[in-house]
Amino acid sequence: MENKGITILGIESSCDDTSAAVIRDGMILSNVVANQRVHEEYGGVVPELASRAHQQNIIPVVETAIKRAGIDRNEISAVAFTRGPGLLGSLLVGTSFAKGFSLALNVPLIEVNHLQGHVLALFIRENGVDYNPPKFPFLCLLVSGGNSQIILVRDHLHMEVIGQTIDDAAGEAFDKCAKVMGLPYPGGPHVDKLAKEGNPLRFEFSRPRIPGLDYSFSGLKTNFLYFLRDEIRKNENFVEENKADLCASLQYTIIEILLNKLKKAAKETGIKEITVAGGVSANSGLRNALMENAKKHHWNLIIPKFEYTMDNAAMIAITGYYKFLKQEFVEQSTVPFARTQL
Ligand code: KG4
């Protein structure tokens, strides 16, 4: 067969998105994401429903990704899959599918750490789009529904977590506070939208006092909850009447917490190459704050394309590509894991 380059099929199923993508020599050919709407009425992801939805989605999602890429499945050089961290039942669906597919195609299997995938999303090439990846070493603020971390990236496959949340993630703080205001799940984008109309200095919420570069968001969440409870006792329409100011003040606090530690990390390491990843990086207030700080502190700031900041398989495929170059393959006996460090 004609050599068409290194073609990686990536599979992501760690939470509530089933995704498959094809990347050839680092260039994206397709990225298909099926969101699961089944969780909306519960106000959060229900693990058992997530794994069942992954089972229904995985075959059509992979088929579509291969079709959109315009390739034949025999051109696939390796199958990369998210091994963890994530929901175990969900991870099992993607892992089992990837194993079966690699066996059927007789190609190697590559395990990918979901967090590493978020970081390497910055290296996805797109046809007709300027390629502007960060230079090593760089710092990545990884903020998603399940993680808040500052990662020191030395090269594609060598990363070190230098700060992380000791309890809730930034996305969780957005989602849980949004829930108590009666906003739909996931609440982050709704808070972002409402915050644009509100006064960020109207209400003051608590900030954690955690040493070093670690984060904590559970105190803010509790403070927000009790504040609303007390105000609603005095005025049952308090949330409705102050929603925009509540969202703006909450968002302002979360961004300040995130930026304070990031600034500290940049100062301590002397690194001015700064990137951001994960679903919360879609937040317009966070993007503005990062840009302001970049100007002030002379950072070279790289914000990835929105599509690749959320959970997606393109980031799994690009990580698979770099692992393929190093021939880092795994056996069929590999099992997923729910929790991990980089
Ligand atoms: O990385 P991601 O897609 O996957 C998980 O880790 O699950 O991140 C999802 C998180 C959710 O908490 C969601 O509320 C948050 O990203 N998010 C936002 C925004 N868009 C998504 N948070 C604040 N502002 C946004 N615009």
Side-chain angles (χ1 to χ4, degrees):
M1 197 176 60
E2 180 195 350
N3 182 3
K4 292 194 172 168
I6 299 167
T7 308
I8 308 291
L9 170 71
I11 306 221
E12 156 65 29
S13 71
S14 65
C15 190
D16 60 341
D17 295 309
T18 319
S19 181
V22 178
I23 277 192
R24 175 167 288 163
D25 294 334
M27 179 78 72
I28 186 95
L29 298 185
S30 67
N31 182 37
V32 178
V33 184
N35 307 113
Q36 301 179 359
R37 310 214 63 153
V38 60
H39 310 286
E40 279 170 13
E41 64 180 289
Y42 300 97
V45 177
V46 184
E48 198 45 47
L49 294 181
S51 29
R52 276 186 235 164
H54 282 305
Q55 275 183 320
Q56 286 170 347
N57 292 342
I58 190 114
I59 291 175
V61 164
V62 171
E63 268 180 351
T64 311
I66 292 175
K67 203 166 153 204
R68 280 197 199 154
I71 62 158
D72 186 275
R73 63 180 62 179
N74 292 323
E75 293 170 30
I76 294 171
S77 319
V79 181
F81 67 98
T82 307
R83 187 175 171 200
L87 301 171
L88 209 48
S90 294
L91 290 163
L92 263 174
V93 178
T95 305
S96 311
F97 183 88
K99 284 185 190 179
F101 212 58
S102 87
L103 212 51
L105 297 175
N106 196 23
V107 295
L109 192 59
I110 302 172
E111 56 122 16
V112 173
N113 182 308
H114 181 82
L115 308 176
Q116 192 175 24
H118 270 301
V119 176
L120 294 187
L122 293 151
F123 292 87
I124 297 170
R125 285 174 200 263
E126 260 183 294
N127 216 344
V129 177
D130 280 349
Y131 184 58
N132 181 29
K135 290 171 202 68
F136 300 114
F138 64 88
L139 294 179
C140 181
L141 175 68
L142 173 56
V143 272
S144 69
N147 301 280
S148 299
Q149 302 182 323
I150 300 174
I151 303 173
L152 199 172
V153 187
R154 298 184 203 280
D155 74 42
H156 295 111
L157 302 180
H158 292 101
M159 322 186 170
E160 185 192 339
V161 177
I162 56 171
Q164 63 184 322
T165 184
I166 57 165
D167 41 53
D168 287 354
E172 256 174 302
F174 270 111
D175 295 343
K176 288 178 177 168
C177 293
K179 191 175 175 188
V180 298
M181 286 188 281
L183 294 172
Y185 176 85
H190 298 278
V191 173
D192 189 0
K193 205 167 155 212
L194 283 158
K196 292 194 174 105
E197 316 286 320
N199 174 2
L201 303 177
R202 168 87 189 283
F203 303 110
E204 198 172 327
F205 300 116
S206 67
R207 287 148 173 77
R209 281 196 214 131
I210 307 285
L213 298 172
D214 286 340
Y215 288 116
S216 165
F217 287 99
S218 75
L220 168 63
K221 178 191 70 186
T222 312
N223 174 229
F224 191 82
L225 181 72
Y226 287 168
F227 174 72
L228 287 199
R229 189 193 59 185
D230 294 345
E231 292 299 324
I232 290 168
R233 273 198 198 128
K234 293 182 243 163
N235 168 13
E236 61 178 26
N237 298 321
F238 178 78
V239 172
E240 275 318 306
E241 289 168 9
N242 298 285
K243 219 175 231 174
D245 287 347
L246 282 168
C247 288
S249 303
L250 171 70
Q251 181 169 299
Y252 179 82
T253 313
I254 294 175
I255 293 171
E256 212 182 59
I257 296 170
L258 289 173
L259 262 297
N260 278 346
K261 292 291 168 94
L262 183 63
K263 279 187 274 186
K264 192 170 182 208
K267 204 167 164 205
E268 283 179 8
T269 58
I271 295 175
K272 287 183 181 289
E273 192 84 358
I274 309 287
T275 66
V276 62
V280 180
S281 67
N283 185 271
S284 56
L286 177 61
R287 286 180 175 229
N288 289 338
L290 282 165
M291 285 189 274
E292 274 167 30
N293 275 280
K295 234 188 223 165
K296 196 166 157 198
H297 303 291
H298 309 289
W299 293 347
N300 181 31
L301 175 69
I302 296 173
I303 300 183
K305 207 174 157 193
F306 179 66
E307 189 185 346
Y308 303 133
T309 62
M310 313 291 280
D311 283 355
N312 67 83
M315 67 187 201
I316 304 307
I318 189 77
T319 310
Y321 169 68
Y322 286 108
K323 288 193 146 189
F324 188 95
L325 294 177
K326 293 259 158 77
Q327 302 279 294
E328 287 189 17
F329 305 133
V330 289
E331 301 292 328
Q332 282 282 331
S333 55
T334 305
V335 290
F337 46 73
R339 291 187 172 272
T340 185
Q341 304 281 323
L342 271 176

